[in-house]
Amino acid sequence: ILDIECYGEEINMKFSTTREESTIYVSLESRGGNSKSELLMGLFPGELGLWPENQDMELGRPYRWAQSLCGAAPGNEEISLREVLMRVCTRIRAQQVLAMQIGDLEKQKVPEREPASSDPPRQPITKLTSFQRIERAEAHEILRSIGEVPELVSVDTILLYAKGTLSYGTA
């Protein structure tokens, strides 16, 4: 178990195996015991931890990078534990920023964008006309209907369940 602190959030990264096999499983939990393992999916391109077929999901997921790090299988020597931890911390920070932005949207507070030097002079007007949290199943159905969710990704990995409408104009 690795104890990690990223941007004020304490998490545990646990590497496990079974006696019957040499596969290494990885899970991620907050100190409160809440699973954060969705942060590991896609940490490296194409790496969803979906092999072998008979995996023990209670232990975590068997990512190829974990097999390489633990010496259980040959793999990409360019992937280091430091790289894994940096990528996990980057995802934790992105979740924190997203949570703050969602909180602002729920208060109908929209940050104003500074005009670029190439923008014509004008007074920007941004108005949030609607914002609502929606149920997980509805969010999943919306994303699937526009082709944004691969079949292999579970509903639990979708972290944002909201829809809204912004109107832009000039004064």
Side-chain angles (χ1 to χ4, degrees), residues 80-130:
S80 66
L81 183 57
R82 181 174 185 210
E83 178 69 18
V84 170
L85 296 177
M86 285 176 31
R87 288 178 182 227
V88 167
C89 287
T90 298
R91 287 184 170 195
I92 287 172
R93 183 62 185 150
Q95 274 190 337
Q96 291 171 342
V97 169
L98 181 60
M100 288 186 294
Q101 292 172 340
I102 290 172
D104 286 345
L105 288 171
E106 287 177 327
K107 297 173 196 161
Q108 296 205 1
K109 177 182 168 187
V110 179
E112 289 192 22
R113 174 182 76 85
E114 288 293 322
S117 60
S118 60
D119 287 349
R122 61 186 175 165
Q123 180 67 31
I125 298 172
T126 306
K127 181 180 179 187
L128 179 64
T129 56
S130 71

Side-chain angles (χ1 to χ4, degrees), residues 142-155:
I142 289 169
L143 292 173
R144 188 177 306 281
S145 72
I146 59 174
E148 292 294 325
V149 181
E151 290 296 324
L152 296 175
V153 177
S154 71
V155 174

